[in-house]
Amino acid sequence: MVLRLTGIRKHYKGAAAVEHVDLTVGRGEFFTLLGPSGSGKTTTLRLIAGFERPDAGIIELDGVDVARTPPFDRNINTVFQDYALFPHMSVADNVAYGLKAKGVRGDACRARVAEALRTVQMTAFGERLPAQLSGGQRQRVGLARAIVNRPGLLLLDEPLGALDLKLRHDMQLELKHIQKEVGITFLYVTHDQEEALSMSSRIAIFNKGRIEQIGTPREIYDRPVSAFVAGFVGTSSLVRRDSSVLVLRPEKVRVAPPGTAMPAGFHVEPGRLEDEIYLGMMTKLVIRLADGTAIEALRPNDGDPADLVSGSPVAVGWDPSTLRVLDETR
Ligand code: ADP
Ligand code: MG
């Protein structure tokens, strides 16, 4: 175990930013804090880094309580969204800065800097100034500077948030590869559920300062414990039946003209096709059931005949074994 938080609480002016947070991160994990803006993710990172003190609770790094350890003595580094590079220093000097502060000099320092720049594919840019780099390149330098000291734990707070969508997707894959290569434990913060699902070994879902669920991406997506998690991670339709709530994922819902045979064991009900939204790879269908419940379905655009007409009756079906049933009291 690299990091253990037990009963962490932090209030600002009487309002809870973080409450009852418990989590454990193992060595080599890519662990993500996922939640909407204001849910307490950054506060949690700042407490771990030592920039803030918790009102209650214990923070352990490698089994040692760090309540009295100042930030610079914790075996941790942080990557921020705004890179925080020194503008008057070359890329190589920016990366070397933390090493020199720890007394690493000469050939040893140059070798470590070269290795870090190679890891982030910035070998050719060592002599440039930060102003001569693109946003994506600056983020790579920020990462090189954070890994060059080989911290036991790297904290990353929405590091890709300032990049455009295409570059962000490329960097997600690359970050994951870099993390594997250097073997450093990552604690990653994002509000982007797709990013969290694609990169993480495990995810903690934050809501209003509390953790609602911790699990692998597949556990979180397939077995959400609450309506909040089901709605925040992926899309889902909630169907209320008696005292329970069913979570239906759109890719698990079949829609067909009335009377079409559905696979054996499927639950089938009548509905009306309200909307068809073309998304390129997929088409999203919105179906209204007789009791007023709206259900979303996704169909791949793989050359299907256009057999459905907006406004017309349809049959909706799903395999009951793929349903998640929530206890409505949560
Ligand atoms: P996130 O990173 O998930 O967006 P934060 O941890 O930044 O959320 O914030 C959690 C809550 O704590 C928010 O309501 C925010 O307004 C509040 N908060 C964070 N930092 C401070 C601060 N320094 N002073 C007062 N309130 C703060
Ligand atoms: Mg934040």
Side-chain angles (χ1 to χ4, degrees):
M1 171 262 292
V2 173
L3 171 71
R4 190 203 303 276
L5 305 183
T6 313
I8 296 296
R9 178 162 69 98
K10 179 73 183 174
H11 284 212
Y12 291 111
K13 302 182 200 100
V18 168
E19 192 87 74
H20 296 302
V21 163
D22 296 323
L23 64 82
T24 304
V25 178
R27 190 165 307 287
E29 274 207 84
F30 195 122
F31 193 100
T32 297
L33 313 185
L34 171 66
S37 178
S39 59
K41 309 180 298 293
T42 294
T43 302
T44 303
L45 281 200
R46 291 177 57 81
L47 290 165
I48 296 165
F51 303 139
E52 305 272 0
R53 277 169 171 275
D55 299 333
I58 300 168
I59 300 171
E60 289 164 273
L61 289 169
D62 292 320
V64 178
D65 183 342
V66 293
R68 287 172 206 296
T69 313
F72 52 85
D73 279 339
R74 299 185 185 193
N75 187 16
I76 289 181
N77 249 328
T78 308
V79 178
F80 300 99
Q81 187 183 110
D82 60 6
Y83 328 122
L85 301 178
F86 299 115
H88 57 285
M89 284 187 192
S90 72
V91 163
D93 287 343
N94 262 284
V95 176
Y97 185 84
L99 284 175
K100 287 184 175 152
K102 296 226 154 140
V104 183
R105 274 155 220 276
D107 285 347
C109 180
R110 275 189 291 278
R112 295 269 291 271
V113 170
E115 171 68 13
L117 287 178
R118 186 197 59 72
T119 303
V120 302
Q121 299 183 36
M122 288 292 287
T123 298
F125 297 85
E127 298 313 310
R128 295 246 189 127
L129 290 172
Q132 297 167 315
L133 302 175
S134 70
Q137 290 169 336
R138 263 180 289 207
Q139 191 51 269
R140 285 169 195 270
V141 177
L143 187 62
R145 199 173 56 171
I147 61 176
V148 76
N149 267 335
R150 298 172 190 159
L153 178 63
L154 188 59
L155 310 177
L156 303 101
D157 196 352
E158 314 237 7
L160 308 182
L163 307 179
D164 63 52
L165 190 64
K166 173 81 174 77
L167 187 55
R168 207 158 79 219
H169 282 156
D170 293 347
M171 284 299 285
Q172 285 169 6
L173 268 182
E174 214 182 302
L175 257 184
K176 179 89 198 143
H177 288 146
I178 290 172
Q179 191 258 345
K180 270 213 179 114
E181 182 183 334
V182 297
I184 295 172
T185 308
F186 275 27
L187 186 58
Y188 192 89
V189 161
T190 183
H191 63 271
D192 181 332
Q193 47 105 5
E194 190 190 310
E195 187 163 298
L197 289 174
S198 64
M199 297 172 88
S200 316
S201 57
R202 285 190 303 148
I203 302 172
I205 308 288
F206 273 67
N207 182 24
K208 297 182 182 147
R210 292 168 188 259
I211 294 179
E212 293 232 351
Q213 185 170 4
I214 296 177
T216 64
R218 204 173 275 276
E219 283 164 358
I220 299 272
Y221 187 82
D222 285 343
R223 297 201 296 279
V225 297
S226 65
F228 174 82
V229 175
F232 193 74
V233 181
T235 51
S236 56
S237 308
L238 299 181
V239 181
R240 287 170 202 286
R241 290 286 143 85
D242 304 325
S243 64
S244 56
V245 179
L246 314 180
V247 179
L248 269 181
R249 294 296 190 187
E251 72 277 11
K252 306 246 164 79
V253 178
R254 294 271 188 106
V255 185
T260 310
M262 291 263 180
F266 264 47
H267 169 86
V268 183
E269 346 194 334
R272 186 171 294 277
L273 180 61
E274 267 195 0
D275 257 316
E276 272 184 283
I277 300 128
Y278 179 73
L279 300 172
M281 207 190 297
M282 312 282 256
T283 296
K284 183 161 91 181
L285 307 174
V286 183
I287 299 100
R288 187 72 63 179
L289 300 184
D291 66 0
T293 304
I295 290 187
E296 285 186 11
L298 273 179
R299 279 189 150 189
N301 290 327
D302 56 2
D304 261 17
D307 56 353
L308 300 173
V309 182
S310 272
S312 303
V314 290
V316 195
W318 58 76
D319 177 352
S321 71
T322 65
L323 278 187
R324 174 77 182 161
V325 181
L326 299 177
D327 175 359
E328 195 154 30
T329 56
R330 271 201 63 145

